[in-house]
Amino acid sequence: MCTCITYLNNAFYFGRNLDLDCSFGETVTITPRNFPLIFRKAGRQDHHYAMIGMASADDSFPLYAEAVNEKGLAMAGLNFPGNAFYQQPDGKGLEIASFEVIAWLLGKCASVAEAEEYLHEMKIVDLAFSARMPPAPLHWMLADHEKCLVLEAVRDGLKVYENPFGVLTNNPPFEYHRMNMNNYMNLTTESPQNRFADRLDLKPYAQGMGAMGLPGDASSASRFVRAAFLKWNSVAPEEEKANVSQFFHILDSVAMVRGSVVTDQGTYDITTYSCCANARTGVYYYKTYDDSRVRAVDMHETDLDGNVLIQR
């Protein structure tokens, strides 16, 4: 389970909670412009945009969970089991493995508008990174400061949705989340008015009652609504420290506490890490479940013209 959000308050930010019951060997990874990105069916990019994000520690290819490139385009993959469907490669069109999607698009494209030119021909194909790492069932959120999309590879092919909320969680598919938001249009940050019956003297007895009915459980549908409500009603000064703090407060509201969600295997989902990237400056902020200090890695403090992955 995961939650991904965008946040625009003078600067544009992109990030997520990564909710799992174990680590996947994650480390902050910078892919410089000249590191060769070799794709299974889509050739190679010897020169591309630099990017930073959290990836599995592998020297041969950046297995990003999420990343932002030097042009401000950001993307994250979120768990989508039961609905994700990857096609068999047949040598036709633009065939990208699920683990390659983020690196391919962020390496190639400077904006969502530019990425859209490739999405109509893109096929997500069923290829494993290795025998020990089968394809993960994912859907993706792709965003810049102007537009946000959701990509879902299903049996009918790759579906692309415009996402006005700037939020994504997990199952069900995005179309459900978009419809479900209509069930909460009556929520407000202000004190509620009596709409129950004019002849009854009903009044609020505490602050915050305008948002009664805002879900607080850990399900993906509830996290979607809660994150969207807090994001769209967020108020913060237009400066970096306040924006980053506010971003993490929103993610904290939908984070997993160990013991609150038990998997079918009897393990516990936790928010392994939370992250926030300033898409303009390329600074990647993150914190982990056992260390709530926010750390920062600036991609521009490294050699972005290098040809070796940088792991921090």
Side-chain angles (χ1 to χ4, degrees), residues 13-18 24 26-30 51-55 64-69 74-75 240 244 248 273-288 294-300 312:
Y13 302 85
F14 181 97
R16 57 102 61 79
N17 284 343
L18 194 290
F24 64 92
E26 64 274 9
T27 185
V28 178
T29 301
I30 299 168
M51 63 195 82
I52 184 173
M54 194 72 79
Y64 282 117
E66 80 290 321
V68 60
N69 73 12
M75 192 173 194
E240 184 74 356
V244 172
F248 279 111
Y273 70 86
S274 303
C275 67
C276 166
N278 183 320
R280 179 180 61 83
T281 65
V283 177
Y284 180 91
Y285 303 92
Y286 72 101
K287 63 179 183 175
T288 66
V294 175
R295 305 184 183 196
V297 179
D298 186 345
M299 68 187 298
H300 293 285
R312 295 294 177 89

Side-chain angles (χ1 to χ4, degrees), residues 54-285:
M54 194 72 79
S56 178
D58 187 279
D59 293 333
S60 64
F61 193 89
L63 297 169
Y64 282 117
E66 80 290 321
V68 60
N69 73 12
E70 60 183 300
K71 296 297 184 179
L73 182 63
M75 192 173 194
L78 290 82
N79 202 27
F80 196 47
N83 289 298
F85 182 85
Y86 305 141
Q87 301 181 46
Q88 293 301 312
D90 60 8
K92 299 177 182 178
L94 177 59
E95 298 182 325
I96 307 292
S98 57
F99 64 86
E100 300 173 333
V101 172
I102 293 176
W104 195 93
L105 283 171
L106 296 194
K108 190 89 170 175
C109 305
S111 65
V112 170
E114 191 173 326
E116 285 183 289
E117 298 178 9
Y118 297 100
L119 297 181
H120 70 279
E121 61 175 316
M122 181 180 289
K123 294 190 297 183
I124 312 300
V125 292
D126 190 19
L127 294 173
F129 180 72
S130 67
R132 297 178 59 185
M133 296 181 66
L138 302 172
H139 60 174
W140 296 266
M141 190 160 85
L142 176 70
D144 60 19
H145 70 284
E146 293 184 340
K147 195 171 186 179
C148 181
L149 301 178
V150 171
L151 282 60
E152 294 185 339
V154 295
R155 288 189 178 274
D156 292 336
L158 182 63
K159 303 293 184 181
V160 179
Y161 304 98
E162 190 164 346
N163 181 356
F165 310 109
V167 173
L168 188 62
T169 54
N170 313 105
N171 292 333
F174 180 71
E175 284 282 71
Y176 170 89
H177 292 294
R178 182 157 56 186
M179 178 61 69
N180 185 49
M181 285 291 291
N182 293 294
N183 293 323
Y184 299 92
M185 68 173 71
N186 201 45
L187 299 185
T188 176
T189 58
E190 301 174 355
S191 293
Q193 302 298 312
N194 176 19
R195 297 176 181 174
F196 190 90
D198 292 340
R199 290 172 292 175
L200 293 177
D201 185 21
L202 302 177
K203 299 177 181 178
Y205 53 81
Q207 295 288 347
M209 293 179 65
M212 289 186 72
L214 179 66
D217 62 90
S219 69
S220 58
S222 294
R223 283 183 284 110
F224 191 106
V225 175
R226 187 172 183 83
F229 180 83
L230 295 174
K231 168 193 162 172
W232 283 100
N233 289 292
S234 169
V235 177
E238 293 183 355
E239 55 94 11
E240 184 74 356
K241 184 176 179 180
N243 283 336
V244 172
S245 174
Q246 191 79 335
F247 195 100
F248 279 111
H249 279 302
I250 296 170
L251 289 181
D252 286 345
S253 75
V254 290
M256 303 287 170
V257 176
R258 182 181 283 117
S260 63
V261 178
V262 183
T263 70
D264 291 339
Q265 292 73 39
T267 57
Y268 304 112
D269 272 343
I270 63 170
T271 298
T272 305
Y273 70 86
S274 303
C275 67
C276 166
N278 183 320
R280 179 180 61 83
T281 65
V283 177
Y284 180 91
Y285 303 92

